[in-house]
Each structure stands twice: as structure tokens, then as C-alpha cells.
């Protein structure tokens, strides 16, 4: 590697962390508490790159006007949660052509068998049986390109993305071995544990923005009255006591949400609502969620009125992202044997 020759001590480089979010719907309270809430801290602590993964979103059919709208909404959300576009690289994936270019190349270093084993592919092809497209199949390769282009050291992943990160590591190792060290091998970032928020209507299922029943999820942009109402109608049990336990999935879920918003432990919560019914508890949970999301919602509303600013952030982000991504792509193209333009 060319910088190995330098002997002068290098200033300690911050680790690069990268994550992306699909604009395939408005993120839920689950996305927020489980992941987004931590991104601000990660952006402060590390050298962050955060993208709106619109190329990934079209692996399932999207309505064009909606996709366009949601892409900007999600970008505004990233700003609203406090990510600083001067510090972190914030961008829209499709604005940086290197993602699609590297993904194509990496497709040729990925085996059909490996992709066939991806559990998310199996689940999604069952859910969208009428549109099992090749993009859906090679989705993890595009995700590998997202990560490897930026030489990311760390990727914060939830359980459902672990397998995809694993394959990104495999592809990177394979390429590095076949040619010479090219890609940083990304590690999963296991941070402060976010809540795994379940559906309010079926607490055995993860809360999902694509759930046909809107009462099952809270969108990060829901108005306070809507939030309170949805929590009120959350499924519980007939035991009537607030504590964390077996067979109390609905209450466990609300306790998880409340704990995440207030920082209280389950024991403290159980003590707080001892002898009170679910009604009182649900009101408290609803209010805690409203307060948790208030600054995000307010900041978001403000940003969405300023489309020119959003476009400017996207343009600057794409430029910064391209600078990093193109460097990696050039290296790859050279090693593979392409005549460089
Ligand atoms: N597949 C991820 C999800 O649906 C989104 C994503 C795309 C991503 N590219 C990524 C996450 C790169 C981390 C790193 O949640």
C-alpha cells in the first residue's frame, strides 16, 4: 500500500462509520429508537457517512412521486435528528454513481449460491412473489458496495442486516485476496442497545412501516394526538399489572418503549405503575413518546419548508461522497484490468 512507506507518525484517524436508510416509507418509532437515535452520537464520535438508500428502495416497486418525496423527507429526518452535514457526509445514494458501478463489479465476485441463502431475500421474494427481480436478489451486493466504497471500519447493524454485513466482509476478503488489499474489512458496530420495538397490534412482530394496519406502528412524524391514540389502542393482556414477564408481550413492548424514552429500568417502571391500571401506564408511555419525538418533528417541519437547503445539503454531500467513493472505484477498476478513462 502506498502510504506504508511514510514513517512520520500519522495523526490518529477517526474510524469511519457508515449506515444507510431506505426511503421506502416514513420511518417508525422502531426505526428511531432502534437505530436513528444513535446516529447523531455516532456522527459526533466517528467519521460518519450516512445515506438515503434510494437504489435499494426500487428493489420493490415504488410510486415515483412518493419515492421522490420520501427521499427528501428521509434526508430532512437525518438532519432533524441532529446529524451535522458539515461533519458527517450526508448524501443520497443515487447521486453517487460509484455505488451502482462498484455493485456491478462486485456482482461478478459473488456467487449465486451465496445470494440464494440470504434470509431476507427468501422473505422478501415470498412477500413480493409477483416481482422477484434480479435487483432484489443482488441487493446485498449493492449494500456491500455502499460499505466498501467508503472503506468503512464500522457499520451499525440490526439483527436483520447482520447477514448482509457478513457477505460484504466475505466479498471484500475475496477481492483483497484475489488482487491485493483494496477494501477495509468492515466490523459490525454493536452500540448502546436500542429497543427492538414491536407492532402495537401484534407484539410478536417487529414494528414495520409497511404494515397494512396503521394502528400497528407510530411514524416519527405522527402528531401527538395520533401517537396517544395509537398507544391507547395497543394490544396488552388481561392481567392488568405492569411488569416485564412471560406472555406479556404487549406490556413488555410498551415497557421497552417507555424505558428507551425515559432511561428508566424495568424495575423502576414496574414500581412507578404498581397498583395502577394499564390506562395510566399507556398515557404515560404515549406522553413519553410524544416528548421523545417532539424535537425531531419540529426540526423536520422546519426543514421541509426549505427544499432549497435540502437540495444544497444533498449536492454538497454527493460531492464529498464521490470524492471518497471514486478513489476506491478507481483502485478497483485498475486491479480488475479495466483501461482507465
Ligand atoms: N439494507 C439496509 C436496511 O434496509 C439499508 C442499507 C443499504 C444499509 N445500504 C447499507 C445499511 C449499508 C448499512 C450499510 O436497513
Amino acid at each position: 500500500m502506498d502510504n506504508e512507506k511514510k514513517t512520520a507518525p500519522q495523526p490518529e484517524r477517526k474510524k469511519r462509520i457508515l449506515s444507510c436508510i431506505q426511503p421506502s416509507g416514513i420511518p417508525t418509532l422502531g426505526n428511531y429508537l432502534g437505530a436513528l437515535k444513535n446516529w447523531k452520537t455516532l456522527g459526533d464520535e466517528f467519521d460518519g457517512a450516512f445515506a438515503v438508500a434510494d437504489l435499494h428502495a426500487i428493489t420493490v416497486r415504488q410510486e415515483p412521486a412518493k419515492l421522490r418525496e420520501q427521499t427528501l423527507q428521509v434526508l430532512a429526518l437525518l438532519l432533524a435528528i441532529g446529524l451535522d452535514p458539515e461533519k458527517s457526509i450526508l448524501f443520497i445514494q443515487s447521486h453517487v454513481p460509484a455505488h451502482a458501478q462498484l455493485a456491478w463489479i462486485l456482482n461478478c465476485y459473488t456467487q449465486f449460491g451465496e445470494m440464494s441463502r440470504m434470509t431476507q431475500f427468501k422473505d422478501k421474494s415470498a412477500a413480493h412473489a409477483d416481482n422477484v427481480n434480479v435487483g432484489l436478489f443482488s441487493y446485498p451486493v449493492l449494500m456491500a458496495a455502499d460499505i466498501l466504497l467508503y472503506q468503512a471500519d464500522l457499520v451499525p447493524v440490526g439483527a436483520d442486516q447482520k447477514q448482509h454485513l457478513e457477505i460484504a466482509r466475505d466479498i471484500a476478503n475475496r477481492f483483497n485476496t484475489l488482487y491485493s488489499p483494496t477494501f477495509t474489512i468492515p466490523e459490525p458496530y454493536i452500540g448502546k442497545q436500542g429497543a427492538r420495538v414491536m407492532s402495537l397490534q401484534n407484539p410478536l412482530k417487529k414494528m414495520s412501516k409497511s404494515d397494512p394496519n396503521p394502528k400497528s406502528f407510530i411514524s416519527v412524524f405522527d402528531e401527538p394526538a395520533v401517537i396517544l391514540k395509537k398507544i391507547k389502542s395497543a394490544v396488552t393482556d388481561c392481567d392488568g399489572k405492569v411488569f416485564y414477564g412471560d406472555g406479556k408481550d404487549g406490556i413488555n413492548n410498551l415497557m421497552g418503549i417507555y424505558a428507551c424514552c425515559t432511561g428508566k429500568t424495568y424495575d423502576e417502571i414496574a414500581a412507578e405503575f404498581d397498583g395502577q391500571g394499564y390506562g395510566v401506564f399507556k398515557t404515560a408511555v404515549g406522553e413519553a413518546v410524544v416528548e421523545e419525538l417532539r424535537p425531531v418533528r419540529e426540526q423536520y417541519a422546519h426543514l421541509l419548508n426549505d427544499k432549497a437547503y435540502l437540495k444544497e445539503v444533498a449536492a454538497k454531500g454527493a460531492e464529498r461522497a464521490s470524492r471518497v467513493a471514486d478513489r476506491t472505484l478507481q483502485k478497483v477498476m485498475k486491479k480488475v484490468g479495466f483501461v482507465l478513462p
Side-chain angles (χ1 to χ4, degrees), residues 1 10 12 42 68 76 86 95 97 106 126 142 150 163 188 191 217 225 256 265 286 292 294 299 306 308 311 323 327:
M1 287 202 326
Q10 301 284 310
E12 203 180 319
L42 298 179
R68 208 166 3 251
E86 299 294 324
H95 290 185
L106 297 182
L142 177 60
Y150 299 90
Q163 204 182 22
F217 60 88
T265 65
E292 176 75 28
R294 183 186 302 284
Q299 201 39 34
D306 197 348
K311 291 260 166 85
R323 232 175 292 137
R327 193 163 347 119

Side-chain angles (χ1 to χ4, degrees), residues 207-220:
M207 181 179 282
S208 162
K209 58 192 166 201
S210 49
D211 196 309
N213 182 357
K215 277 163 81 180
S216 73
F217 60 88
I218 289 172
S219 142
V220 288

